């Protein structure tokens, strides 16, 4: 059966500055933590860096035309902080702002709605050298930066997002250290999480102050879909602990104005949380126009003690502070090239969870997609039936969530282009559009054609 999405539903793709722009040393841009990290031997697969990436900085106009040809109505991109404010403080770097102004103008000329994310992981290196996210000052720097970008682009960008996936910034960046800046320190990770929350709150206030009244403010999280391996009480408790560290550490203060009591108790051996000042939770809880959720795959946990089933594994290195005793299990089913299980019910569960937890707050799927080993055929086309299957199943999950009452306003496929997949370098292809990195030639995959049809018609065809 063909099903219709609501009128006005936003159909788009998403990217992030460091993953696509390249031009790392042009236009006054300074290094971010990802430049430093990717240039450190052993940190990324094959030593890949974002120096050139997909060269989007120089191919901006062509890339926008590509989106227009695909009939996409929205585009979620991020601003590179060190491109527009190279030292992380003080006045703006005009060439940096000019790039984003030109991008936004191109998008608007083609009737594509710009959805701007202020922070997708590329902290100016100077701010990391001053202590990074574990330091409170970084949250204030972020608010200044948010204000500066809003002043420059607020006349033409309506939809603003403060942070992308602060979980990854805090716990992959400072906990397990597999992402920039590559620190492995549980206390630093928890401090980073709080200061990212504070940055969101102060940043949202700065946006409200600078944007016209129709400006919309959001944040994008990657809430964990954490499942207990069995219904045994110790497995359910492991689920509760990881849910606190993966999701409620952000949604607690952002949506409800307080850190969860169980999180504070679970982490008491690491910190007394005295870095949370009076008034912080209130500053973090700001009115939002929507909540962005990113979803790829669920997490299955159990207590490390014997529950009668097969043993799970500890995560090594673990991004979760104080999560000793929790075992992670491989979910069943098909897998993507990331070795992530394909489970659209997780997206349904997530949307319904937030529809119930924060009634009245519109939701946007700001990222969803899959990596596969896509290769051009002899005739130059790229066929990716597995991605079409993935997208179909997840859009069907969105459709079911809407039917069950979730107010979902849009869907952004990750990603427009194959790009720099962080620590995996260029080895993982998430794009609807194939990129030949030697020539920078873009080739829409069959999934791009398929998604284009869905976006144009607002209809999910039978599968
Ligand atoms: C996912 C999160 C998840 C976390 C813990 C991350 O890679 O993006 O959604 O909560 O892993 O497994
Ligand atoms: C991030 C993207 C990343 C994608 C796939 C999300 O966690 O926001 O930058 O490329 O997942 O790993």
């Amino acid at each position: 059966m063909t099903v219709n999405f609501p009128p006005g539903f936003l159909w788009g793709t998403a990217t992030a500055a460091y993953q696509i722009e390249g031009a790392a040393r042009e236009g006054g841009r300074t290094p971010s933590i990802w430049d430093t990290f990717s240039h450190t031997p052993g940190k990324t697969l094959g030593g890949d860096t974002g120096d050139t990436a997909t060269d989007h900085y120089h191919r901006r106009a062509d890339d926008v035309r590509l989106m227009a040809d695909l009939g996409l109505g929205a585009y979620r991109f991020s601003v590179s902080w060190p491109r527009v404010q190279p030292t992380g403080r003080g006045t703006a770097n005009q060439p940096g702002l000019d790039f984003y102004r030109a991008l936004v103008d191109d998008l608007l000329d083609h009737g594509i709605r710009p959805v701007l994310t202020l922070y997708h992981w590329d902290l100016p290196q100077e701010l990391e050298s001053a202590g990074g996210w574990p330091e409170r000052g970084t949250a204030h720097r972020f608010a200044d930066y948010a204000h500066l970008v809003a002043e420059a682009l607020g006349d033409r960008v309506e939809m603003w997002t403060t942070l992308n996936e602060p979980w990854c910034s805090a716990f992959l960046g400072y906990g397990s250290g597999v992402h920039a800046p590559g620190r492995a320190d549980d206390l630093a990770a928890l401090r980073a999480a709080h200061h990212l929350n504070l940055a969101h709150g102060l940043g949202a206030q700065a946006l409200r102050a600078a944007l016209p009244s129709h400006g919309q403010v959001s944040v994008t999280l990657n809430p964990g879909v954490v499942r207990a391996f069995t219904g045994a009480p110790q497995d359910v408790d492991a689920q509760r602990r990881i849910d606190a560290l993966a999701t409620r550490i952000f949604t607690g203060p952002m949506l409800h104005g307080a850190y969860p009591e169980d999180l504070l108790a679970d982490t008491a051996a690491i910190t007394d949380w005295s870095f949370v000042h009076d008034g912080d939770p209130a500053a973090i809880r700001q009115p939002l126009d929507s909540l962005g959720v990113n979803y790829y795959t669920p997490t299955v946990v159990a207590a490390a003690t014997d529950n009668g089933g097969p043993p799970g594994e500890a995560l090594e290195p673990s991004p979760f502070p104080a999560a000793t005793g929790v075992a992670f299990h491989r979910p069943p089913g098909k897998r993507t090239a990331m070795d992530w299980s394909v489970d659209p019910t997780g997206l349904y569960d997530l949307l319904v969870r937030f529809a119930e937890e924060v009634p009245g707050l519109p939701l946007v799927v700001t990222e969803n997609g899959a990596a596969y080993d896509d290769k051009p055929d002899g005739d130059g086309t790229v066929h990716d039936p597995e991605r079409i299957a993935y997208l179909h199943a997840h859009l069907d999950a969105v459709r079911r969530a809407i039917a069950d009452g979730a107010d979902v306003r849009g869907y952004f496929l990750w990603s427009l282009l194959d790009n720099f997949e962080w620590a995996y370098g260029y080895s993982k292809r998430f794009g609807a559009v194939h990129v030949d990195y030697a020539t920078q030639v873009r080739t829409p995959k069959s999934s791009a054609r398929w998604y284009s049809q869905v976006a144009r018609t607002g209809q999910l065809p039978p599968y």
Side-chain angles (χ1 to χ4, degrees), residues 167 222-224 246 299 320:
W167 184 87
N222 56 326
T299 302
F320 294 110

Side-chain angles (χ1 to χ4, degrees), residues 373-385 429 434 436 441 443-447:
D373 295 324
D374 312 307
K375 293 187 184 68
D377 287 341
D379 63 358
T381 57
V382 184
H383 291 292
D384 57 344
R429 296 182 175 272
H434 181 273
D436 177 333
V441 168
T443 306
K445 304 176 190 176
S446 34
S447 62

Side-chain angles (χ1 to χ4, degrees), residues 165 167-168 172 179 221-226 242 245-247 294-301 315 319-320 328 340 350:
E165 301 190 354
W167 184 87
C168 294
L172 301 180
H179 277 190
L221 303 177
N222 56 326
V225 173
V226 185
I242 297 302
L245 287 163
T247 305
N294 293 353
Y295 173 78
Y296 292 91
T297 190
T299 302
V300 179
V301 299
L315 288 186
F320 294 110
F328 291 77
W340 293 349
L350 203 56

Side-chain angles (χ1 to χ4, degrees), residues 35-110:
D35 294 282
T36 309
F37 187 78
S38 65
H39 279 271
T40 305
K43 297 300 186 187
T44 64
L45 198 69
D48 288 352
T49 74
D51 287 3
T52 307
T54 68
D55 196 33
H56 170 74
Y57 185 76
H58 298 115
R59 293 164 198 266
R60 176 203 90 230
D62 290 343
D63 288 341
V64 172
R65 220 168 293 127
L66 188 56
M67 288 182 238
D69 289 345
L70 292 171
L72 301 174
Y75 176 52
R76 174 175 178 257
F77 65 97
S78 81
V79 171
S80 158
W81 187 346
R83 207 180 274 297
V84 307
Q85 200 189 33
T87 61
R89 31 182 123 231
T91 52
N93 173 44
Q94 196 56 43
L97 288 176
D98 290 345
F99 170 75
Y100 294 105
R101 181 170 283 263
L103 170 64
V104 168
D105 285 347
D106 284 351
L107 291 167
L108 295 173
D109 284 348
H110 286 91

Side-chain angles (χ1 to χ4, degrees), residues 134 261 357 364 388:
E261 290 297 333
E357 186 176 327
V364 177
I388 295 176

